[in-house]
Amino acid sequence: MTDPYEQFDLPLAFELDQQQLEERFRRLQAELHPDRFVRQGDQARRMAAAVAADVNEAYAILADDYRRALHLLERAGIGFDPERDTSQNMAFIEAQIEWRERLQEAEASGDAEALQAAGEELEQARVEARAQVAAALADPAAPTAGAKDRVLELRFFDRLLDELRRTRQSLARPAATRGME
Amino acid sequence: MALLQITEPGAESAPHQRHLAAGIDLGTTHSLVATVRSGEADTLPDAQGRHILPSIVHYGADAVTVGHAAAEHAADDPHNTIASVKRLIGRGAADVATLSGELPFRLKTGDSNVPRIETAAGDKTAVEVSAAILDTLRERAEATLGDSLEGVVITVPAYFDDAQRQATRDAAQLAGLNVFRLISEPTAAAVAYGLDQGEESTIAVYDLGGGTFDISILQLRKGVFEVLATGGDSALGGDDIDRAIADWLLNEAGMAGESDPQRLRRVLLTARRAKEALTDAESTPVEVLRADGSTWNGSLDRATLVELARPLLQRTMEACGQVLEDAGLASDAIDEVVLVGGSTRMPAVREAVEQFFGRAPHAGIDPDRVVAIGAAQQADILAGNKPDTELLLLDVIPLSLGLETMGGLVEFIIPRNTTIPATRAQDFTTFKDGQTAMSLHVVQGERDVVDANRSLARFTLSGIPPMVAGAARIRVTFQVDADGLLNVTAREQTQGVEAHIEVKPSYGLTDSEIEQMLRDSASSAREDMEARRLREQQVEADRVLEALDAALETDGDRYLEPAERQTIEQARDTLRAEREKGADPDAIEAARKRVEQASEAFVARRMNDSIRRALAGHNVSEYDAGN
C-alpha cells in the first residue's frame, strides 16, 4: 500500500487541512471506485476495487488522530506494536487507573448526570492529550523522545470515550435492537 | 490540484447511444422494476398497466407463474404458492426452522445447508424463487425497452448480511442479469429524492410495507452514506391495519367469530379497499355479506381508522425511538424524513411520522415505487449514461466481519461502518510443531461471542509448510467489494506458499449448485434460452467492442507495441464478424474471451498507469506536457 500522505498528496504533518483531506478523498474515489468501471470488464473492476480499498484505508488513517500519529511514528522509524507495547510512564498509568475508577463509580451508581460530567472532563483531557501529540510531532521527521507515550495516552482517551459512549447508550436502552425475525 | 480524469469511464465512442439499465426493488411482498427514459426515472408497468409485481411464484406441475397470476393460487394451492421468499434468502436451515410455522409451504434441508421448498415442480431454493421474480421483471423491462439490459442495480435491506447479499446476487445471475451494484433500500429512497446531492445530513427512512416495517437512520457526509442504525419489525405492516379494520367490520356486522375462510378473505378485501379510499376521502361506505346472504351496510371514517391503526403506529414509533437511541441521536437531529412503502399513504401514518420527527416527510414520489426509482437513477449513472456526473454512492459495511478465535470469541477484522470496498489483513500462526493445516471460521455480527453472530463460512487451510510452532505466518486477507460481499484469501508469508482454501459456505449455494440450476433452467425452455443467450452474448460483445475501440483510440499508441496492437485488432475484428453474423452464442463468447485475453496486458497497463497518475495527483496538462 502506498503511504497515505503520498496517496493523498498532502504535506507530512500531524495537523491536516480537513477540508482538503475530504476533498481529495472524494476526488480519488470519484475516479477509482469500481462503480466507475462496471462497463470496463471484471479485470478492471477488480483492480479498481483493490485500489479503492487502499484509498479508503489511507483515508481512515489520515482522518483519525491516533492512527495518523501512529503512522507518523512508523514513518520516523520508531513504530511499535500498540497492542503489546504499553506506556511505561508511571504518572500516566496512575492517571489511567483514576479515570477508570471514576467512570466505574459513576456507571455503578447509574447516575446519568455523574456520567455526563465525567464525560465532559474526559473530553477536555482528550483535547489536551491531542495537543501534546501535535507538539510531540511538530517535526514529523523527528518526533520528540516522549512522542510514543503521548500517542498511547491519546489512544487511552479515545478508547475510554468510546466505552463511555457505549455505556451511556446501554443505560438509555435496555434491549438490543433488531432480532433477526 | 486537478486530478487526471482517468480512463474516461463515462466517455463513449457513440455519445448518443444509451445503455439500457434498470433498477429493481426485490421486495418481500412485491417487486418493481424502473428505468430512466428521457431523463426521468419511473417504474415500468406490465401489459395490463400494473407496476407492482406481487413477489409470489406458483409452481404448478406443468407451469410456473409469477406475480398476480401466482397470487390467484394462494388459496387453492398454498403448498406450491411461494410468497415472502425474501424472508428465507441467504438463511440457513436453523433460521428458517423458526420461521416455518408462519409459512404455508413445506421446507426441507439439502446437503448444502440451503433449505429447499417442496413444490409440484420439484424442490426449489429461495434463490431460484427470487430468480423467477427477477426473470419476470427482466422480461418486462426488455419488452418495454426493446433490447437486453446491460446491467441492473438491485436493492437489499440495509441490514442484509453477506450471505443474504450473496444469495441475492446468485438469484440475479440465475435470472441472466448483470448486477452493476447492490445498494441498500433506504439509500435508494434517499437517492430518489436527490438527498445524496446535499453535503451533510441525517436522514430517517420510514418504510412501512404490507408485512414488514423498517426504520433506518442514514448519515450522509460528503457523499458517503453511512447506515447509523436500522430497526423495525419483520412482522408488522399495512396488512395488520387491514386485519384491524376487518375485525371492526365483523364486529359491526354482528359477525364476530366468523371462521369461513372465503368470507373472511372477502371482508379483508373490503377492509383494504376502505383503507385505500380513506387516503383521499374523509369517510367511505362499506358493505359486508353475512353468512345468511344478507348484507350489512355501514361507513368507515378517518377518525375510526386512526383509532384502529393507533396501536400499530405506536409500535412503529417505539421502534423509531429505539433506532434513534442506537444511533445516539435525538429526534430533532434528523434533517430529512423519507417515506417508503404503500402503507405510508395513509394520512394517519404521515401525521404520526411528522409529529415524531418534528418535520414534514418527503412524500412527493409514490412510496411503493420510490426505492425502484432511486435504484434506476443509480443504474443509469453506472451504465455510463451521465458521463458528467461526479455522483458516487459510497456505502459502508453494515455488520462487522471477524474470525473465531480461541474460546469461541470473535476477533473483528473489518468493523461495521467501514467504507467499502475495504481490504484488511491479519496474521495468524501455527501453535503446534509441524502443523500443516488450520481451520478458520468467518462470522458476521457485533457480538463478542461467536455463537451470537452469523456464521458465514468455514475454511480449512492446508499445505502450510511444516515448521516449529509459531514460526509460520499466515496472512488472512478479507476483501469486501462495493456490494458488501466478502472474499477471503490466505497465504503463508515466510515461504510464500498460497495455502489451499476449502470454502464451506454456512448458508450460501456452492458454485456447482448454481451451475446445476442454470443448466436446469436452460433445459426447461431450451429455445427461449438459446435466443436469450444469443442476445446476451451480442450485448456483451458490443460492450467489449465499444470499450476496446475507445481505449485503442485514446491510449493505443501510448501503451502498445505495433505487434501487440495488431494481435488485439485481429481478435477484435473476429469478434465483430461473429457478432454481426449473430448465429452462434458460443462462437461470440469464445471470440469475446479471445479479445479479453489478447487485451489483458493493455487493460492492466492502462489501469496501473491511470491509478498511478491519479494517486500521484498529476494534472492533465502536466501529463500531456511530459508525453
Side-chain angles (χ1 to χ4, degrees), chain B residues 186-524:
Chain B
T187 303
V191 166
Y193 280 107
L195 302 184
D196 51 329
Q197 292 171 39
E199 266 290 283
E200 207 162 319
S201 60
T202 308
I203 303 160
V205 181
Y206 179 102
D207 180 351
L208 188 62
T212 57
F213 170 63
D214 289 311
I215 171 75
S216 312
I217 309 293
L218 307 178
Q219 189 172 50
L220 173 73
R221 280 185 66 230
K222 318 281 176 196
V224 182
F225 272 107
E226 196 171 306
V227 180
L228 293 183
T230 72
D233 191 329
S234 54
L236 176 66
D239 297 350
D240 296 297
I241 297 177
D242 297 349
R243 256 172 251 131
I245 299 169
D247 284 344
W248 179 84
L249 287 172
L250 290 170
N251 257 323
E252 293 289 304
M255 293 164 67
E258 176 65 58
S259 61
D260 177 64
Q262 210 173 349
R263 260 193 300 282
L264 284 175
R265 249 199 316 282
R266 210 173 295 142
V267 174
L268 207 54
L269 201 64
T270 307
R272 170 169 304 179
R273 288 201 181 122
K275 178 185 76 176
E276 287 168 3
L278 288 178
T279 296
D280 298 315
E282 283 296 325
S283 143
T284 184
V286 277
E287 186 182 279
V288 175
L289 187 67
R290 294 199 184 91
D292 60 11
S294 67
T295 56
W296 171 82
N297 285 290
S299 84
L300 178 68
D301 61 16
R302 258 195 209 176
T304 310
L305 176 62
V306 169
E307 275 314 305
L308 292 171
R310 194 185 298 282
L312 295 148
L313 293 182
Q314 191 52 39
R315 279 169 66 192
T316 69
M317 293 309 148
E318 280 161 17
C320 289
Q322 195 143 86
V323 285
L324 281 175
E325 275 172 24
D326 285 350
L329 295 172
S331 60
D332 61 5
I334 300 296
D335 303 309
E336 314 270 2
V337 183
V338 172
L339 296 180
V340 179
S343 305
T344 62
R345 282 200 193 85
M346 279 179 66
V349 175
R350 291 184 185 197
E351 283 155 22
V353 171
E354 180 165 351
Q355 205 174 14
F356 184 87
F357 289 105
R359 62 186 56 247
H362 289 274
I365 304 174
D366 183 334
D368 277 324
R369 305 188 199 174
V370 64
V371 168
I373 285 172
Q377 289 170 348
Q378 191 59 19
D380 192 47
I381 292 170
L382 295 186
N385 289 330
K386 286 187 168 176
D388 298 329
T389 186
E390 279 264 316
L391 213 73
L392 183 68
L393 272 191
L394 289 180
D395 253 324
V396 295
I397 181 161
L399 299 159
S400 302
L401 289 163
L403 284 170
E404 176 172 356
T405 58
M406 296 291 191
L409 296 178
V410 180
E411 169 138 13
F412 293 110
I413 311 284
I414 303 187
R416 74 183 286 253
N417 281 342
T418 300
T419 309
I420 49 177
T423 303
R424 294 271 166 96
Q426 186 94 351
D427 287 348
F428 292 87
T429 190
T430 48
F431 69 108
K432 271 192 208 151
D433 287 343
Q435 185 178 340
T436 57
M438 185 184 269
S439 19
L440 293 174
H441 182 199
V442 184
V443 297
Q444 187 163 29
E446 306 313 313
R447 309 283 291 277
D448 294 331
V449 186
V450 164
D451 294 344
N453 292 312
R454 284 270 289 161
S455 165
L456 289 182
R458 288 176 189 277
F459 294 79
T460 305
L461 275 62
S462 56
I464 301 170
M467 283 180 256
V468 293
R473 203 148 55 86
I474 292 129
R475 173 154 298 177
V476 181
T477 306
F478 277 43
Q479 289 171 291
V480 180
D481 68 13
D483 294 323
L485 297 181
L486 173 69
N487 185 35
V488 183
T489 51
R491 191 179 173 84
E492 203 290 310
Q493 296 289 102
T494 59
Q495 316 230 343
V497 180
E498 191 89 18
H500 305 286
I501 300 181
E502 195 192 329
V503 190
K504 279 200 188 122
S506 304
Y507 299 102
L509 296 163
T510 61
D511 286 350
S512 61
E513 282 176 308
I514 291 172
E515 243 170 67
Q516 184 59 46
M517 287 174 188
L518 279 169
R519 273 198 299 275
D520 290 349
S521 64
S523 57
S524 63

Side-chain angles (χ1 to χ4, degrees), chain A residues 2 5-9 18-20 22-57 59-60 67 166 169 172-181, chain B residues 1 3-4 6-7 9 12 19 87 91 98-99 150 159 169 179-181 214 221-224 230-232 234 322-323 325-326 328 378 382-384 389-390 392-394 419-424 482 543 546-547 600 603-604 607-608 611 614-616:
Chain A
T2 326
Y5 280 91
E6 282 161 24
Q7 204 155 0
F8 279 68
D9 195 24
Q18 283 302 315
Q19 210 182 331
Q20 197 175 36
E22 277 172 16
E23 185 235 352
R24 289 194 185 171
F25 172 65
R26 291 290 303 149
R27 293 202 78 129
L28 282 168
Q29 282 297 6
E31 293 182 11
L32 299 169
H33 193 278
D35 273 4
R36 299 299 245 173
F37 298 89
V38 287
R39 302 188 55 256
Q40 315 261 330
D42 281 348
Q43 193 193 8
R45 211 181 162 190
R46 268 198 307 276
M47 287 177 76
V51 182
D54 263 6
V55 169
N56 280 331
E57 183 66 7
Y59 177 71
R67 293 191 68 186
R166 267 179 285 164
Q169 272 175 30
R173 144 189 69 103
T177 332
R178 172 177 288 276
M180 277 294 202
E181 271 127 278
Chain B
M1 179 193 71
L3 287 167
L4 182 73
I6 62 160
T7 57
E12 305 300 341
H19 299 282
R87 292 180 196 270
R91 312 301 293 274
T98 64
L99 282 174
E150 276 193 34
Y159 54 81
R169 248 188 181 275
V179 180
F180 283 158
R181 174 101 179 252
D214 289 311
R221 280 185 66 230
K222 318 281 176 196
V224 182
T230 72
S234 54
Q322 195 143 86
V323 285
E325 275 172 24
D326 285 350
Q378 191 59 19
L382 295 186
T389 186
E390 279 264 316
L392 183 68
L393 272 191
L394 289 180
T419 309
I420 49 177
T423 303
R424 294 271 166 96
R543 186 184 66 69
E546 193 190 316
E600 203 166 289
V603 171
M607 273 295 292
N608 275 332
I611 287 163
L615 293 182

Side-chain angles (χ1 to χ4, degrees), chain B residues 30-143:
Chain B
H30 60 243
S31 299
L32 294 105
V33 59
T35 189
V36 173
R37 285 184 293 175
S38 322
E40 286 291 314
D42 203 359
T43 49
L44 302 176
D46 65 7
Q48 285 76 44
R50 299 172 298 202
H51 289 253
I52 286 175
L53 179 75
S55 300
I56 302 175
V57 182
H58 176 252
Y59 289 96
D62 41 34
V64 178
T65 50
V66 178
H68 296 280
E72 284 164 18
H73 295 284
D76 59 59
D77 192 16
H79 292 315
N80 294 314
T81 309
I82 318 302
S84 298
V85 75
K86 194 175 177 181
R87 292 180 196 270
L88 306 184
I89 199 159
R91 312 301 293 274
D95 299 320
V96 165
T98 64
L99 282 174
S100 60
E102 305 165 25
L103 303 168
F105 34 87
R106 287 179 292 239
L107 285 165
K108 65 179 194 185
T109 51
D111 44 10
S112 80
N113 260 334
V114 177
R116 259 101 173 145
I117 303 161
E118 285 180 45
T119 77
D123 295 346
K124 301 291 169 191
T125 63
V127 167
E128 288 167 284
V129 180
S130 302
I133 297 165
L134 288 171
D135 203 40
T136 305
L137 294 173
R138 183 184 55 77
E139 278 170 17
R140 181 189 294 182
E142 292 182 349

